[in-house]
């Protein structure tokens, strides 16, 4: 394949060279090795403990090592993308890229292994010998027909999943697209005629899977470089093609394509032309999957058959047949149940899950990713998008269940609801944090007024709330706009059944609301006319009035507009809770090391000691609702950028020490029996109580610390010299001056 060395080519080189060093992957420890004890636990002598346990029970290797979440991506570089036989070393960037996709989409650690061997016997022996190291094997870019034999032998020898993605990954996505095309077009699978251009590894795997879905073999015609695979042909034949030989007089693709319902292209660029497409059946399915240049460009195919449904392997056209839709999630499900293989039942379960996902309404997350691209089942949305966050939640459990049902799972999953929650952590970092909130919401659904009820992402969120019975939504917006957008994005929401609608233009409570608002705001210069205009045009005001008048339990606003504008309306109408003395916000940062709560980043620019005290106590109470008990030294409860015992003497240092003092006394009685104050600056339990240790992170503070320690040492030496009658050192005089 000719590569154009343009600016994109140079960008790709720079991407692989920088930043963060060459390549796309690295190995990061999952355990801390900060002390001598950590080292002893991680290596000798502590490592002997899991070794003995695994020796006694090999099944527990996934409990003590990373093997249960580790996949080897193996190639010999004989059929790399569209590059051909470029060898194992040149194939390494592709394999590293595959590793990134495993981690990105399914949280699976994957190591690329490039093997310089073409002999089938030797290659099989090398790969099979790796079984103790990995939980699964992903074969990649190995040419046909050798790949069929290599995979077959490895499956016989190994007791872990072996999956040739070029074959089966492509087949699964093609199977899902084909199934959904049948549903869209109303075709009878028994009467569908399919012609394939290409009879390599991917094409053979595709037609085999389509046969498993119900497509008769007699309806399939294979073509390759030598033409139609017909009975009696000897040129370029192998065992994989034999089941699909046809007793026919057709010899070329042009002959075979006449009257075909489906074209499956897994060959090369421009092998199908408009004249051939015109001879196909009405409204055909054209899957032109050669990359980067397909067998026919979609524009040409549509010019010949305007009602054709078209799939390609390219990301710049609808219906991209992308293996990333499959392989991370089928391995995720297989690894999580300790599957000994990936069988036909698991592949078919993946096909059905993909098909069903396409027909479900799009989530708010995927809508945000793809913007204005239509994501409603139809001719341009036949298969899901690669960045659909629901893939792992639907495909992996389906694969795991199929493994259990077919008897290849060694660690069956008992609670699939809990398993689904574990999967959510790979896509929604907030999932685990929010579980206690969801549980409380489901136990007693509240009336929530959504100020921006016309916004698409609000509508998606409301659909999720309704499905999970988390709330009783109230949408504030124009009825025509809300209902049209619900229909446009394909949601199942129905007015009256699923949500209450408050139309600012015609709600019967308008007079009551503007009069209430005027009563609250008349002393601030709001006239009756202004009150009417504000209540008619400011949805946040309407939502706040609903809460104020007990027509709603709470409200959500701010998906559009400025924060301070929304906040002003809320404070003017709802005000502070009983017993509260200050307003404050609470934000959460979810990092790899844990969750950090920040209070307050929006409202109080320079809070007083009393405000700090009040908002910290309120924040601690809110944190408990997430199932987290604030503890002494908890960095999520640090309130000051300064150490509590630091040397700073500026007004800001003194002010923060006063705030710390207030907070300690406010909670002292309640916390004393637990061993300390609720917030202790940045000082953590078990850490070195050096009062200056926090300053070492900054050059100026580090120099200050060194100067003071040096000065303290010199002062002590000066005192000793004076007692012994010696003269002070000149260096001390110089520093002292």
């Amino acid at each position: 394949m000719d590569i154009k060395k343009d600016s994109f080519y140079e960008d790709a080189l720079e991407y692989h060279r920088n930043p963060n060093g060459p390549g796309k992957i690295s190995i990061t420890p999952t355990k801390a090795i900060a002390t001598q004890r950590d080292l002893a636990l991680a290596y000798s002598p502590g490592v002997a403990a899991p070794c003995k346990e695994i020796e006694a029970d090999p099944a527990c290797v996934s409990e003590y090592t990373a093997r249960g979440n580790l996949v080897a991506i193996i190639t010999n570089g004989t059929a790399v993308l569209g590059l051909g036989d470029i060898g194992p070393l040149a194939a390494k960037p592709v394999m590293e890229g595959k590793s990134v996709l495993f981690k990105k989409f399914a949280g699976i650690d994957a190591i690329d292994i490039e093997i310089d061997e073409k002999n089938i016997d030797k290659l099989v022996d090398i790969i099979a010998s790796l079984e103790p190291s990995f939980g699964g094997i992903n074969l990649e870019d190995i040419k046909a027909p050798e790949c069929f034999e290599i995979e077959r032998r490895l499956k016989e020898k190994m007791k872990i999943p072996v999956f040739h993605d070029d074959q089966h990954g492509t087949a699964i996505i093609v199977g899902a697209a084909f199934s959904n095309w049948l549903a869209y077009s109303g075709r009878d699978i028994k009467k569908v005629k399919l012609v394939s251009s290409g009879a390599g590894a991917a094409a053979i795997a595709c037609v085999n899977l389509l046969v498993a879905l119900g497509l008769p073999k007699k309806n399939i015609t294979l073509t390759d470089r030598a033409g139609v695979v017909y009975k009696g042909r000897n040129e370029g034949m192998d065992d994989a093609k034999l089941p699909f030989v046809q007793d026919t007089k057709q010899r070329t693709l042009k002959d075979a394509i006449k009257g075909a319902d489906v074209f499956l292209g897994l060959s090369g660029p421009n092998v199908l032309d408009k004249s051939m497409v015109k001879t196909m059946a009405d409204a055909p399915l054209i899957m032109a999957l050669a990359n980067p240049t397909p067998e026919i460009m979609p524009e040409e195919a549509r010019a010949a058959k305007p009602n054709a449904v078209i799939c390609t392997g390219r990301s710049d056209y609808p219906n991209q047949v992308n293996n990333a839709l499959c392989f991370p999630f089928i391995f995720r499900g297989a690894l999580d149940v300790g599957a000994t293989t990936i069988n036909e039942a698991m592949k078919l379960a993946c096909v059905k899950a993909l098909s069903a996902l396409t027909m479900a309404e799009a989530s708010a997350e995927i809508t945000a990713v793809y913007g204005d691209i239509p994501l409603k089942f139809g001719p341009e949305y036949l298969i899901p998008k690669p960045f659909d966050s629901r893939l792992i939640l639907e495909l992996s459990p389906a694969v795991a269940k199929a493994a259990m049902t077919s008897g290849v799972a060694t660690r069956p999953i008992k609670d699939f609801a809990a398993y689904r929650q574990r999967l959510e952590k790979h896509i929604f970092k907030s999932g685990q944090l929010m579980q206690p909130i969801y549980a409380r919401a489901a136990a007693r659904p509240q009336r929530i007024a959504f100020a921006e009820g016309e916004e698409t992402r609000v509508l998606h969120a409301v659909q999720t709330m309704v499905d999970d019975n988390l709330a009783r939504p109230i949408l504030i917006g124009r009825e025509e706009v809300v209902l049209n957008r619900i229909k446009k994005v394909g949601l199942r929401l129905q007015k009256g059944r699923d949500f209450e609608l408050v139309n600012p233009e015609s709600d019967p409570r308008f007079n009551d609301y503007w009069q209430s608002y005027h009563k609250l705001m008349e002393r601030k210069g709001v006239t009756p006319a202004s009150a009417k205009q504000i209540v008619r045009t400011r949805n946040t005001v309407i939502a706040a009035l609903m809460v104020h008048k007990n027509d709603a339990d709470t409200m959500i606003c701010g998906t559009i507009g400025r924060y301070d504008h929304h906040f002003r309306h809320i404070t003017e109408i709802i005000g502070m809770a009983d017993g509260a003395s200050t307003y404050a916000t609470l934000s959460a940062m979810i990092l790899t090391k844990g969750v950090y709560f920040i209070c307050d980043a929006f409202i109080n620019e320079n809070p007083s000691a009393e405000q700090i005290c009040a908002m910290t106590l309120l924040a601690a109470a809110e944190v408990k609702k997430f199932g987290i008990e604030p503890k002494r030294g908890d960095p999520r409860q640090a309130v000051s950028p300064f150490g509590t015992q630091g040397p700073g003497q500026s007004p800001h240092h003194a002010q923060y020490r006063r705030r710390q003092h207030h907070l300690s006394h406010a909670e002292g009685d309640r916390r004393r029996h637990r061993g300390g104050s609720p917030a202790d600056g940045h000082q953590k339990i078990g850490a070195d109580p050096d009062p200056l240790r926090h300053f070492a992170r900054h050059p100026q503070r580090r120099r200050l610390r060194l100067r003071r320690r040096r000065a303290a040492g010199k002062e002590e030496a000066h005192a000793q010299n004076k007692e012994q009658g010696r003269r002070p050192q000149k260096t001390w005089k110089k520093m002292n001056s």
Side-chain angles (χ1 to χ4, degrees), residues 628-707:
I628 300 172
E629 179 66 31
K631 300 176 182 178
R632 179 181 186 268
D634 191 336
R636 288 170 292 196
Q637 210 173 272
V639 298
S640 168
F642 308 108
T644 58
Q645 304 170 50
Q649 300 300 322
S650 72
H652 287 299
H653 284 81
Q655 185 178 21
Y656 272 95
R657 279 196 291 272
R658 287 197 301 274
R659 294 169 183 174
Q660 188 71 36
H661 177 76
H662 272 276
L663 181 58
S664 298
H665 279 276
E667 281 274 270
D669 293 338
R670 186 168 69 85
R671 296 279 183 163
R672 190 170 291 114
H673 67 282
R674 298 183 185 176
S677 62
D680 209 8
H682 288 283
Q683 188 166 312
K684 300 179 183 179
I685 293 174
D688 180 3
D690 177 5
L692 291 174
R693 63 191 172 85
H694 310 290
F695 290 75
R697 298 178 184 175
H698 306 283
Q700 292 180 347
R701 293 175 179 174
R702 183 165 58 248
R703 287 195 294 271
L704 176 62
R705 182 183 67 174
L706 294 174
R707 285 181 58 193

Side-chain angles (χ1 to χ4, degrees), residues 269-543:
N270 305 316
V271 302
L272 187 70
D273 60 35
K274 288 194 285 187
S275 64
M276 296 182 193
V277 173
K278 288 179 180 179
T279 66
M280 295 182 70
D282 185 52
L285 172 63
I286 298 174
M287 293 185 279
L289 307 182
N291 228 346
T293 305
E295 286 80 1
I296 185 170
M297 294 301 292
E299 297 86 353
E300 296 179 13
R302 186 143 289 136
K305 283 282 183 182
N307 57 359
V309 177
I310 303 169
C311 301
T312 71
R314 293 172 51 140
S315 60
D316 53 345
Y317 289 99
N319 298 323
Q320 183 193 14
V321 175
N322 188 330
N323 288 16
L325 290 169
C326 164
F327 71 84
F329 315 112
I330 199 168
F331 266 101
R332 179 77 277 159
L335 292 174
D336 289 341
V337 295
T340 57
T341 186
I342 293 176
N343 57 26
E344 289 303 309
M346 296 161 74
K347 288 184 274 187
L348 289 173
C350 200
V351 170
K352 293 176 182 177
L354 272 170
S355 300
L357 182 59
T358 312
M359 297 186 184
E361 70 264 11
S363 65
E365 291 77 19
I366 184 177
T367 301
V369 171
Y370 289 99
D372 295 331
I373 297 176
L375 299 175
K376 187 176 181 180
F377 176 67
E380 294 199 343
Y381 185 58
L382 214 57
I383 45 180
K385 298 288 186 180
F387 284 93
D388 192 329
S389 56
R390 300 168 298 173
L391 286 164
I392 192 172
L393 301 178
E394 302 300 329
L395 272 61
S396 297
V399 170
K401 288 177 181 177
M404 292 165 57
T405 304
S406 59
V408 298
T410 62
R411 298 191 305 273
I413 294 171
K414 296 180 180 179
D415 185 348
F416 271 91
Y419 176 57
R420 187 181 177 90
Q421 289 181 5
R422 292 202 305 273
L423 292 175
E424 286 181 349
K425 72 180 182 181
H426 297 297
I427 49 173
F428 304 120
K429 298 300 183 183
S430 61
Q432 187 173 0
L433 174 68
M434 293 299 294
Q435 282 307 314
I437 305 299
Y438 295 152
R440 292 178 59 198
R444 196 179 67 169
Q446 300 289 298
R447 299 168 300 169
I448 302 179
F450 290 87
E452 292 89 20
E454 297 177 358
E455 292 299 305
T456 300
R457 61 175 176 156
V458 170
L459 296 174
H460 279 290
V462 168
Q463 181 70 74
T464 302
M465 288 184 169
V466 170
D467 290 343
D468 296 341
N469 194 32
L470 297 177
R472 293 153 55 193
I474 302 169
L475 297 180
I476 302 174
R478 294 162 293 177
E479 181 171 0
E480 183 180 356
V481 175
V482 171
L483 297 183
N484 283 341
R485 289 187 178 175
I486 288 174
K487 183 178 180 180
K488 180 180 178 181
V489 298
L491 301 179
R492 293 168 282 106
L493 294 171
Q494 290 186 19
K495 175 190 169 186
R497 185 193 70 180
D498 299 320
F499 65 90
E500 175 187 343
L501 183 67
V502 175
N503 189 339
E505 296 178 346
S506 60
D507 193 89
R509 292 167 289 191
F510 172 70
N511 287 332
D512 181 27
Y513 278 19
W514 79 256
Q515 289 171 9
S516 297
Y517 181 70
H518 176 253
K519 186 176 180 180
L520 290 169
M521 301 297 295
E522 62 181 339
R523 299 183 71 85
K524 295 184 179 180
V526 175
T527 65
S530 298
K532 290 179 182 180
Q533 182 184 13
I534 290 170
V535 173
R536 184 74 79 185
T537 59
R538 310 279 175 86
N539 286 9
T540 300
V541 171
I542 298 173

Side-chain angles (χ1 to χ4, degrees), residues 228-292:
V228 172
V229 177
Y230 61 89
K231 188 176 182 179
R233 194 185 104 171
N234 295 316
E235 182 184 357
M237 294 297 290
D238 56 58
D239 291 342
K241 298 174 186 176
L242 290 178
F244 296 95
V245 296
Q246 296 288 356
D247 188 1
T248 178
K249 294 182 180 180
Q250 297 170 350
R251 293 295 181 265
T252 66
L253 175 62
K254 187 174 183 178
D255 298 333
I257 200 69
K258 294 176 182 178
D261 300 289
V262 179
F263 170 78
L264 175 61
L266 288 157
S267 52
N270 305 316
V271 302
L272 187 70
D273 60 35
K274 288 194 285 187
S275 64
M276 296 182 193
V277 173
K278 288 179 180 179
T279 66
M280 295 182 70
D282 185 52
L285 172 63
I286 298 174
M287 293 185 279
L289 307 182
N291 228 346

